[in-house]
Amino acid sequence: MLAGCGLRAEEEAVPVAAEQGRTIGVVVKAMDSEYWLAVRAGMQRAARELNLQLVILAPRDEYAQDQQQQMIEDILKNNIDGIIVSPVNIKQADGIIDMVQKKGVPLLTMDEKLPGVTYVGSNNAAMGRMAAERMARVLPSGSHVAVVGCNGQQYAHVERVRGFCEYLQNSTDLKLSFSIFGEVDSSRLVSREQALLREHPEVMGVYVTNAYMTLQTLGIADSLGRNYKIIGIDTQSDVLLALRQGKLDSVISQEGNKIGYEAVQQMYEFLQQGSGQPRDDRFMVNTLITSENADAYANNGEVQ
Amino acid sequence: MKLFNNLRIKMFTVVLLVNVLAMVLLSLVFYQQMISYYDREYAQSAYERVYISGRSIDDGFQQVYTVIMDTAYSNDLSLLLSKDDDESLKQVAVLLRQARERNSLLDSVYCYIPEKRLLIRSSTFEEIQVLSADEGVTWEILINRQKGTSPFFTKDIFKVEAEPIYLYSTAIGPDKERPVAYITGTIKERTLYLTYLEAISRKNENAVLLLDKDNSIMSSSRNPDEFDSDEICELLASSGQVRRDIRIGRENYYGSWCNLPFSQYSFCLLVDQRSLGNNVLGMELLYILLAVLVLILSGEFLYMSVARLNRPIERLAATMRQVGEGRLELRSAVEGNDEIGYLARSFNHMLDRMDKLIDNLANERALKRESELKALQYQIKPHFLYNTLNSIRFAAMMQGSKSVGDILASLISLLQASTNRNGVFTSVRNEVQVLKSYIEVQEFRLMDVFTVEFHISAEAEECVVPRLILQPLVENCILHGPSQERTFVHINIDAYLDKERLCLEVWDDGQGIPSDRLIGISDAAAAPVHGGMSGIGVANIQERLRLYYGDSGNLSFESDGSSYTLARIVLPISYDAEEYKLK
């Protein structure tokens, strides 16, 4: 169904003649990870089932704020019936909402919460709490931990860090050595993290808020000769491999496929109603994956 | 029409007609279903082709858009543009070439810096060019017309041929009103056509159209002027993505289209209905050929089946025909235990019963005639013997004469004749002899009351007649001829041949028979006794003549009512005592 996102048109299900449905514009944060590919697959599945047309655009990476802004502007110039956005920068929020309001189409956010806009995705603060709880369980009492928030411009990462830190402070005796956020691109963040970890040899555990930086942290640990308890977020295949090899302590899954599916379905239901804005936020289930249940998760995509 | 008198032909014709009717009905139903199915499947198939091709086109546009956006917002480009030196500009050209290499649809990628009217190309020829003021304005106007994700269709102002191109452009820089630069990518219309449209329009009867959101034709396999824009607009405005009756020029087309959500274009496939008609015509011919073949085969099969089924009926009919012509001994062959077998068996049984009935009837008739004749003969004997024996008794009492012996001799001769069982026919000669014996007996009884003369022709003597046929007539003459006025009667007995007939006449000159009684004497059975004539004797003769000769023998009387009576028997001439004997 989707034009131009890597999936060949021949592989798509062709609707029966005379049934071309509404068009929904989608601008996600990126298309450079398994998570976003899963989100796209879920959206496409929902579109097929609900007879919708999707136009999915993605900037180069999750830091390409201007590019995403331009894409949102461009897609709003199209003849669309609704738009789903995953903004790469929460500072864009007002601009996006204004643009969409001018266009007069319903807006839904996915993966990234905007104030006053219905959201479909993970409960990011809960994921942070889940990671902190795990960290307290696997580290000795009074241990020091570090937090790497991968993108300080994104509400999702901020929330993940906030949930972690709040739980850490309120419910554990672990001590936070440092907390950093990426701002411009991930390579700078890697450099900063490596420098900070070198400066803080007391750190025994690291919490990282996305898959890419989780693997980068693993490399830093190797380079520093340290053995951290690393807890990451997202379950792409190389992360799961590292988990099963015992290099990571655990990761928290995000059901990208379900998030994509639910987002499109939510928009469809709203379009069927015909007025107002999409309804309540929908939070997807997140699961803690450890070496014990990593195989089951890898095989079945879920853990009992 | 004689042909249709044959049951086999009738059965075959009826079954064949039913067969043909059923086939025609089935053919019509199947044909309608086939056309409907073909039409539906073709519509879906055409739409799938359009949908898939359209999505490929849209995919191509989006890939170009993505390349342009990625290039425009890359950190490297941003860095190079910020340096503002010749080497950096050359590196920008390298970046543009790299961008162009990312997608085969891209013809050129441009970076235009409006502040310096500097145009950097992805091509190695004149990769960096300073535009004139007019060129700069023209270019800036051109690239600013691209909106959203829909490409702008225009002509390449930097090429001599001014080829039609699709153009994507985006402004970069913090201030959109005064952008630092524009990144623009172009796609040759022919490149897009050859990549996506050529394949689907490979047949001459197909036409493919790529239209923008204003329904203007961007790319086409034919001259855009051939198409009526109203027709195209009507097609694209229709709620369904398939229409069957689009008229373009003089031809009717089958149209299918789909929206391209990214480019906001529409992609349309038109198929000449004549080409579909040819396909349908081919199917129709094949179908008709198959129907005829099936009809011929089924007709042959039916004919053979009907012939096989009808064979026992035909045999039965032939047997019936022959039986009807008199061959009652024939019987029909019985085949099987079905209705025809039952019919044949019943027919044979009926013939058997008919044979028995006919035999019984014939036997009964013969027995009846025999008994009737015997009864007739025995009617005479008791009466005659009674009278004779009385005469002998009186003669013996009164005379005791020798003449009694003669009379007895005659009586014996007469009794022998009357009781003779060696056949019912005898020659006229023998009959006359018996008659003479009778006369002698009567002369003895009555004494000088009558005299008899015989006139028997030689030809008549050899003829055969029923035994004792004349005796009752002579007896009538003797007994009833004399009267008070005329006590002596002359009797003449004649026998002669008249043409092919034997005439036996007994004439007397007695009192005659009144005319009113003469009429009734012919029906002696109805009036057994009347004046001057023994009813029993006449009736006996008449019945015997009817039984032996039918209408060929008859007895008639003639009299003047006072002086004579003539009784005449006319018979067919016969010399064979067995000829008229009852079988």
Side-chain angles (χ1 to χ4, degrees):
Chain A
M1 172 64 75
L2 304 179
C5 291
L7 186 66
R8 295 295 302 163
E10 288 81 355
E11 297 168 4
E12 299 169 14
V14 180
V16 294
E19 284 189 6
Q20 281 185 334
R22 295 184 174 100
T23 302
I24 296 173
V26 181
V27 183
V28 295
K29 290 178 181 174
M31 200 57 69
D32 58 356
S33 68
E34 286 185 30
Y35 169 74
W36 286 112
L37 292 173
V39 169
R40 187 178 69 180
M43 297 179 84
Q44 289 170 337
R45 183 162 58 88
R48 279 196 299 274
E49 292 175 8
L50 303 171
N51 190 32
L52 297 170
Q53 296 188 108
L54 295 182
V55 178
I56 302 178
L57 301 179
R60 182 185 69 251
D61 56 40
E62 295 196 16
Y63 297 96
Q65 173 188 332
D66 293 339
Q67 185 179 355
Q68 189 190 46
Q69 180 82 18
Q70 184 62 49
M71 286 179 161
I72 293 170
E73 286 180 24
D74 286 343
I75 206 164
L76 284 172
K77 289 173 185 168
N78 283 3
N79 184 23
I80 57 172
D81 298 288
I83 185 166
I84 299 171
V85 177
S86 301
V88 296
N89 190 335
I90 51 177
K91 294 173 186 170
Q92 292 175 285
D94 293 342
I96 292 171
I97 293 169
D98 285 347
M99 282 192 293
V100 174
Q101 282 179 341
K102 283 179 186 171
K103 176 72 176 177
V105 295
L107 169 67
L108 184 77
T109 57
M110 177 179 65
D111 189 73
E112 189 66 35
K113 174 78 177 167
L114 289 183
V117 180
T118 305
Y119 164 81
V120 176
S122 299
N123 187 334
N124 291 295
M127 290 167 75
R129 289 192 290 274
M130 190 183 291
E133 185 185 7
R134 172 68 180 178
M135 197 68 89
R137 202 181 311 149
V138 297
L139 288 179
S141 178
S143 298
H144 285 79
V145 297
V147 174
V148 180
C150 299
N151 193 331
Q153 297 172 338
Q154 292 181 3
Y155 186 73
H157 291 276
V158 173
E159 280 293 285
R160 289 169 196 172
V161 171
R162 182 179 66 80
F164 183 87
C165 292
E166 283 180 359
Y167 190 88
L168 200 73
Q169 187 177 355
N170 298 333
S171 305
T172 73
D173 59 357
L174 298 178
K175 293 173 182 161
L176 183 64
S177 291
F178 66 88
S179 172
I180 56 170
F181 278 101
E183 295 295 338
V184 179
D185 60 43
S186 52
S187 59
R188 293 187 191 180
L189 180 61
V190 172
S191 302
R192 286 177 59 206
E193 182 188 358
Q194 186 166 17
L196 284 168
L197 285 173
R198 188 177 289 117
E199 289 172 14
H200 294 275
E202 77 282 4
V203 171
M204 297 182 70
V206 183
Y207 165 57
V208 192
T209 60
N210 75 8
Y212 176 76
M213 283 307 299
T214 301
L215 293 172
Q216 293 300 319
T217 302
L218 200 58
I220 292 169
D222 282 345
S223 67
L224 296 176
R226 307 267 173 82
N227 186 19
Y228 301 120
K229 293 290 182 185
I230 301 172
I231 300 174
I233 285 181
D234 286 345
T235 50
Q236 62 189 51
S237 56
D238 44 5
V239 171
L240 283 175
L241 179 63
L243 180 66
R244 281 186 286 185
Q245 289 174 345
K247 295 177 180 174
L248 297 177
D249 173 74
S250 55
V251 292
I252 297 170
S253 72
Q254 287 199 100
E255 303 298 339
N257 193 292
K258 288 183 181 173
I259 290 170
Y261 187 93
E262 285 292 328
V264 171
Q265 189 175 40
Q266 177 95 336
M267 178 59 77
Y268 173 78
E269 288 172 2
F270 167 73
L271 291 174
Q272 290 296 98
Q273 292 168 8
S275 63
Q277 278 292 322
R279 294 173 301 171
D280 301 334
D281 295 345
R282 288 193 190 180
F283 295 104
M284 299 296 111
V285 174
N286 304 105
T287 308
L288 183 74
I289 312 297
T290 65
S291 57
E292 286 80 28
N293 59 10
D295 288 339
Y297 182 84
N299 292 332
N300 304 323
E302 58 185 24
V303 176
Q304 298 300 322
Chain B
M1 295 306 289
K2 258 188 169 181
L3 192 63
F4 287 95
N5 290 332
N6 186 310
L7 182 61
R8 181 198 302 189
I9 299 297
K10 282 181 183 173
M11 286 172 67
F12 174 71
T13 306
V14 168
V15 175
L16 192 65
L17 282 175
V18 170
N19 197 22
V20 168
L21 189 63
M23 278 202 67
V24 168
L25 288 173
L26 281 173
S27 298
L28 284 174
V29 170
F30 280 127
Y31 181 74
Q32 286 298 325
Q33 290 290 321
M34 182 187 73
I35 293 297
S36 172
Y37 176 79
Y38 184 80
D39 190 57
R40 196 168 54 248
E41 288 299 306
Y42 185 82
Q44 183 63 25
S45 169
Y47 179 66
E48 286 175 5
R49 289 166 62 197
V50 167
Y51 183 89
I52 291 169
S53 298
R55 286 298 180 272
S56 296
I57 296 168
D58 221 26
D59 188 43
F61 280 129
Q62 185 164 354
Q63 286 177 22
V64 170
Y65 171 85
T66 303
V67 168
I68 297 304
M69 293 295 281
D70 286 352
T71 305
Y73 291 97
S74 70
N75 293 333
D76 292 343
L77 181 67
S78 178
L79 187 65
L80 290 170
L81 289 176
S82 66
K83 288 182 179 174
D84 194 20
D85 55 55
D86 289 346
E87 185 56 32
S88 297
L89 295 179
K90 286 182 180 177
Q91 287 301 312
V92 169
V94 172
L95 270 180
L96 298 181
R97 278 195 287 277
Q98 288 173 348
R100 193 190 64 186
E101 294 303 318
R102 285 177 59 189
N103 191 286
S104 59
L105 280 179
L106 271 170
D107 176 56
S108 296
V109 182
Y110 301 92
C111 176
Y112 178 66
I113 303 171
E115 190 180 354
K116 300 175 183 174
R117 295 200 305 276
L118 201 63
L119 184 70
I120 306 169
R121 291 187 173 92
S122 58
S123 64
T124 51
F125 176 72
E126 281 190 320
E127 59 182 13
I128 300 171
Q129 180 187 2
V130 178
L131 301 182
S132 66
D134 289 344
E135 286 176 333
V137 170
T138 303
W139 180 245
E140 209 166 330
I141 291 171
L142 204 63
I143 57 181
N144 269 310
R145 292 182 66 181
Q146 190 265 316
K147 304 291 182 189
T149 60
S150 182
F152 178 62
F153 187 70
T154 183
K155 290 188 175 175
D156 193 341
I157 62 171
F158 295 115
K159 300 239 172 122
V160 178
E161 313 90 71
E163 292 175 293
I165 54 168
Y166 298 95
L167 180 150
Y168 273 111
S169 187
T170 188
I172 52 177
D175 185 356
K176 288 293 171 67
E177 298 301 319
R178 294 173 59 86
V180 174
Y182 294 93
I183 301 297
T184 304
T186 60
I187 306 166
K188 281 185 180 177
E189 185 275 334
R190 280 295 94 183
T191 302
L192 187 88
Y193 175 81
L194 292 171
T195 305
Y196 298 112
L197 278 67
E198 171 69 9
I200 198 169
S201 66
R202 60 186 181 279
K203 291 183 180 175
N204 291 332
E205 61 267 22
N206 290 359
V208 290
L209 307 172
L210 186 65
L211 305 106
D212 68 7
K213 49 188 166 186
D214 299 324
N215 294 338
S216 300
I217 297 173
M218 304 288 101
S219 289
S220 169
S221 58
R222 298 211 190 151
N223 184 351
D225 295 336
E226 288 182 28
F227 302 102
D228 182 341
S229 58
D230 291 340
E231 283 280 359
I232 299 299
C233 288
E234 195 177 334
L235 167 66
L236 299 180
S238 60
S239 57
Q241 271 65 52
V242 176
R243 268 192 58 189
R244 293 165 174 78
D245 53 354
I246 300 159
R247 188 160 181 84
I248 295 173
R250 292 181 177 179
E251 309 302 337
N252 283 324
Y253 282 81
Y254 191 102
S256 188
W257 65 280
C258 72
N259 283 324
L260 310 185
F262 179 81
S263 61
Q264 304 283 286
Y265 280 5
S266 298
F267 182 58
C268 179
L269 170 67
L270 300 172
V271 180
D272 191 339
Q273 287 188 352
R274 286 176 302 179
S275 66
L276 298 179
N278 289 338
N279 292 338
V280 173
L281 183 63
M283 291 173 69
E284 284 174 348
L285 289 175
L286 180 65
Y287 197 81
I288 290 170
L289 191 65
L290 282 173
V292 169
L293 191 63
V294 168
L295 202 60
I296 289 171
L297 290 174
S298 64
E300 177 71 16
F301 176 74
L302 277 174
Y303 185 80
M304 290 168 63
S305 301
V306 168
R308 184 177 174 79
L309 288 172
N310 197 48
R311 195 173 301 134
I313 299 176
E314 288 182 337
R315 286 180 183 166
L316 181 61
T319 306
M320 284 179 165
R321 192 163 47 248
Q322 289 177 295
V323 169
E325 289 167 358
R327 298 191 58 190
L328 296 174
E329 76 281 5
L330 290 178
R331 294 293 181 270
S332 176
V334 177
E335 295 180 8
N337 292 316
D338 56 7
E339 286 84 351
I340 304 300
Y342 175 76
L343 201 60
R345 270 195 298 277
S346 299
F347 177 67
N348 290 343
H349 183 61
M350 183 187 75
L351 288 177
D352 292 341
R353 291 195 62 190
M354 278 177 64
D355 273 356
K356 285 182 182 174
L357 285 172
I358 289 170
D359 287 344
N360 290 342
L361 191 61
N363 289 337
E364 283 173 8
R365 283 187 64 185
L367 289 172
K368 184 180 176 187
R369 288 182 182 182
E370 191 69 24
S371 61
E372 283 176 349
L373 287 171
K374 283 178 180 174
L376 290 171
Q377 287 176 358
Y378 290 138
Q379 279 178 354
I380 298 166
K381 292 169 194 170
H383 176 66
F384 165 69
L385 286 175
Y386 174 76
N387 293 336
T388 304
L389 288 174
N390 272 337
S391 299
I392 293 170
R393 182 171 58 87
F394 284 120
M397 283 194 306
M398 292 174 69
Q399 298 175 9
S401 168
K402 173 186 172 288
S403 60
V404 173
D406 296 336
I407 290 301
L408 283 174
S410 295
L411 185 59
I412 289 165
S413 173
L414 192 57
L415 282 172
Q416 283 175 339
S418 66
T419 58
N420 192 338
R421 295 183 183 274
N422 298 325
V424 291
F425 284 86
T426 187
S427 65
V428 172
R429 183 184 297 112
N430 289 338
E431 179 68 9
V432 169
Q433 194 58 44
V434 169
L435 201 57
K436 285 176 179 174
S437 298
Y438 170 74
I439 289 168
E440 284 177 13
V441 171
Q442 291 295 43
E443 281 176 341
F444 173 77
R445 271 184 65 202
L446 303 174
M447 295 294 187
D448 296 331
V449 175
F450 65 90
T451 180
V452 179
E453 290 181 23
F454 288 91
H455 307 282
I456 308 300
S457 72
E459 296 86 358
E461 276 191 328
E462 299 304 321
C463 293
V464 294
V465 294
R467 192 180 296 276
L468 296 176
I469 197 74
L470 292 175
Q471 182 267 332
L473 298 176
V474 175
E475 185 176 24
N476 278 340
C477 293
I478 294 169
L479 296 181
H480 303 295
S483 63
Q484 290 180 347
E485 293 81 22
R486 188 172 294 178
T487 57
F488 191 85
V489 177
H490 292 89
I491 299 171
N492 289 338
I493 298 171
D494 292 356
Y496 61 90
L497 300 183
D498 180 16
K499 297 180 183 174
E500 299 297 320
R501 319 289 285 179
L502 169 65
C503 294
L504 303 173
E505 294 179 349
V506 179
W507 178 89
D508 71 78
D509 57 354
Q511 62 181 337
I513 305 169
S515 58
D516 56 337
R517 293 184 181 173
L518 192 63
I519 296 168
I521 205 167
S522 300
D523 190 8
V529 179
H530 42 80
M533 185 64 69
S534 166
I536 292 172
V538 173
N540 186 291
I541 293 167
Q542 285 178 328
E543 187 61 15
R544 287 163 70 194
L545 289 176
R546 187 183 63 77
L547 286 171
Y548 291 132
Y549 301 104
D551 293 336
S552 300
N554 92 316
L555 167 64
S556 62
F557 291 92
E558 184 182 320
S559 176
D560 60 356
S562 58
S563 61
Y564 80 94
T565 300
L566 174 63
R568 179 185 293 121
I569 294 172
V570 180
L571 303 173
I573 297 169
S574 174
Y575 302 100
D576 182 2
E578 299 295 320
E579 185 176 356
Y580 289 100
K581 188 178 178 182
L582 292 177
K583 302 288 192 296

